[in-house]
């Protein structure tokens, strides 16, 4: 049986940008509230959100277990004139980028189920369409004081619609995302079920 990573490699091999190359609407909408600095994109995929952030002044570290997805993200960044660097040895402090004073993308191939995130390192952590509950405490610790968390993924309401995960372990329960980050200041939270079941969170660390 193919692993999760092998399945994603195959998907990105067959379709270069399954989610397109434009950022998620939630990221575009909230961009003016996010500030600038260092961002961590968990499960970056083909880079649509990371590249958008880099184009808007951020220094982005993107993590994904799929090498093929990362290659797509690197290609997209280069097409848009964004400095790119392949990272190595994840687990060491990822403070370097192509140049620490300019926007860019640093891509790391890593297993997010076992990844260790640096503490108090990022002004922004974002995660879209990925759910690994054991990372929740590490995500909160990875934020600097005043740092922002942007999280959006599917809920169990998705089971009423076509597509998306079918395994409940990969779907949020009602209000689960809000409760998971109750130590943060919740700036915006919503859940909806209209064509898909989604929870969206914007929160800030004190």
């Amino acid at each position: 049986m193919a692993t999760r990573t092998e399945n994603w490699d195959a998907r990105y091999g067959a379709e270069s940008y399954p989610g397109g190359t434009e950022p998620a609407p939630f990221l575009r909408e909230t961009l003016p509230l996010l500030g600038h600095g260092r961002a961590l994109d968990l499960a970056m995929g083909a880079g649509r959100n990371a590249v958008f952030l880099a184009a808007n002044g951020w220094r982005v570290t993107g993590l994904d277990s799929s090498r093929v997805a990362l290659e797509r993200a690197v290609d997209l960044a280069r097409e848009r004139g964004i400095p790119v660097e392949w990272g190595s040895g994840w687990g060491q402090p990822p403070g370097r980028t192509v140049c620490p004073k300019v926007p860019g993308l640093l891509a790391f191939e890593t297993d997010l189920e076992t990844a260790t995130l640096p503490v108090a390192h990022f002004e922004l952590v974002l995660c879209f369409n990925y759910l690994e509950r054991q990372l929740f405490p590490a995500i909160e610790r990875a934020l600097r004081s005043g740092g922002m968390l942007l999280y959006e993924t599917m809920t169990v309401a998705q089971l009423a619609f076509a597509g998306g995960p079918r395994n409940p372990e990969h779907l949020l329960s009602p209000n689960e995302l809000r409760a998971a980050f109750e130590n943060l200041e919740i700036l915006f939270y919503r859940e909806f079920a209209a064509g898909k079941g989604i929870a969206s969170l914007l929160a800030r660390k004190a």
Side-chain angles (χ1 to χ4, degrees):
M1 181 179 295
T3 66
R4 185 187 298 185
T5 297
E6 289 170 339
N7 287 334
W8 281 110
D9 282 346
R11 182 178 178 184
Y12 283 107
E15 185 181 352
S16 297
Y17 297 99
T21 59
E22 293 303 306
F26 188 42
L27 173 57
R28 189 186 291 277
E29 293 163 5
T30 55
L31 181 68
L33 305 176
L34 302 180
H36 287 95
R38 289 170 294 188
L40 175 65
D41 189 351
L42 296 167
M44 177 175 67
R48 62 182 185 136
N49 294 320
V51 170
F52 174 75
L53 282 173
N56 281 277
W58 286 86
R59 301 187 295 280
V60 186
T61 297
L63 306 184
D64 206 284
S65 63
S66 170
R67 179 76 179 193
V68 178
L70 291 170
E71 289 170 350
R72 299 290 182 263
V74 167
D75 288 345
L76 181 62
R78 287 174 173 158
E79 286 173 9
R80 298 187 178 178
I82 292 167
V84 176
E85 186 175 342
W86 280 99
S88 61
W90 178 255
Q92 301 171 7
R96 65 191 183 93
T97 59
V98 177
C99 174
K101 296 183 179 181
V102 300
L105 174 63
L106 178 59
F108 275 96
E109 181 181 359
T110 189
D111 183 352
L112 288 174
E113 294 184 12
T114 60
T116 299
L117 304 184
V119 175
H121 192 83
F122 297 100
E123 282 75 30
L124 172 65
V125 175
L126 66 154
C127 187
F128 281 78
N129 300 318
Y130 180 77
L131 180 59
E132 182 57 61
R133 292 174 174 86
Q134 68 181 18
L135 275 178
F136 286 170
I139 288 171
E140 187 172 328
R141 291 192 298 267
L143 287 167
R144 295 170 63 90
S145 178
M148 307 286 270
L149 171 63
L150 197 66
Y151 205 128
E152 184 174 79
T153 196
M154 293 182 181
T155 68
V156 291
Q158 180 63 30
L159 295 173
F161 305 105
R166 302 288 96 182
N167 185 341
E169 291 184 5
H170 301 150
L171 297 166
L172 291 163
S173 301
N175 287 311
E176 180 182 0
L177 190 60
R178 179 199 290 269
F181 295 101
E182 62 183 1
N183 293 329
L184 303 180
E185 178 187 3
I186 307 297
L187 302 178
F188 177 83
Y189 184 76
R190 70 182 174 196
E191 293 184 16
F192 66 84
K196 56 183 176 181
I198 290 288
S200 308
L201 170 75
L202 174 64
R204 178 168 52 208
K205 187 172 185 177

